[in-house]
Amino acid sequence: GSCVGAAAAWRVASRHPERVSGLVLVHPATWSSVGAGPVGVLYRALSTRPRARAFVRILLERAWALRPVRRAALRWMASASLPARGRRAVEEAVGRADTFRVLEAILVALPSFRVLDQHEPSAGFPPTLLVWGRANPIVPVVALPDLVAGLSPVAILELEGAGHLVPLERAAPLAAAISRLALYEGAS
């Protein structure tokens, strides 16, 4: 899983390690990882000011409807190396009417991600590959050492120049690392 998807996969593996043979977490969204970046700053600013939250929500929702704003968001999330095909797919997804509501729901749920920051893998927890784009503006790499300490991954893949869209930006090295995880002798 990637970002919030990684957080969800991590929770499933924590609750049912016997059902998971290996785990790939691409910059998982935890309170410390997402909270260290601009999303955390926005959350902290809005959580203490209910009126500001309503105003910013309306402002952002209207701004999101503008194509140049969505393109700017895409440029911010992805590295310059995102292939054209991937860029088109992301532009299409970002342009969907419900995308803003999904982003808003993630922002509201951010405090619930704290549970992952206290994770201690139990015996039988699946071998884990932790992946990070070093140029990720949303989930900054500064959170990586804490996640490594709490998660004890069997492998870490840090990709120079990759942003928030690692599976699209660096598909080949990610696929190679996943193949190595699948062959890891600790995997069931």
Side-chain angles (χ1 to χ4, degrees), residues 97-181:
D98 61 345
T99 300
F100 178 78
R101 289 198 172 32
V102 170
L103 296 173
E104 181 183 28
I106 291 168
L107 187 62
V108 168
L110 190 58
S112 69
F113 297 171
R114 281 189 174 107
V115 68
L116 297 174
D117 289 319
Q118 286 94 36
H119 174 79
E120 292 182 21
S122 60
F125 191 77
T128 303
L129 166 63
L130 188 56
V131 181
W132 221 279
R134 292 199 57 83
N136 187 336
I138 298 171
V139 186
V141 74
V142 70
L144 184 57
D146 289 339
L147 289 173
V148 169
L151 193 56
S152 303
V154 297
I156 301 166
L157 177 62
E158 290 183 70
L159 296 165
E160 199 64 46
H164 191 68
L165 306 173
V166 168
L168 294 173
E169 294 169 301
R170 299 288 195 278
L174 178 59
I178 291 171
S179 295
R180 287 190 298 277
L181 179 66

Side-chain angles (χ1 to χ4, degrees), residues 27-65:
H27 48 256
T30 70
W31 176 257
S32 65
S33 66
V34 177
V39 175
V41 172
L42 180 63
Y43 176 83
R44 286 186 292 281
L46 297 179
S47 64
T48 59
R49 299 174 184 90
R51 285 188 182 152
R53 184 172 48 230
F55 173 74
V56 169
R57 181 187 184 280
I58 292 167
L59 181 67
L60 289 176
E61 189 169 18
R62 290 190 177 152
W64 196 259

Side-chain angles (χ1 to χ4, degrees), residues 74 77-78 82 85-95 165 168:
L74 171 62
M77 286 190 310
L82 180 64
R85 192 172 114 221
R87 188 168 297 281
R88 283 191 302 275
V90 173
E91 280 180 10
E92 184 178 307
V94 167
L165 306 173
L168 294 173

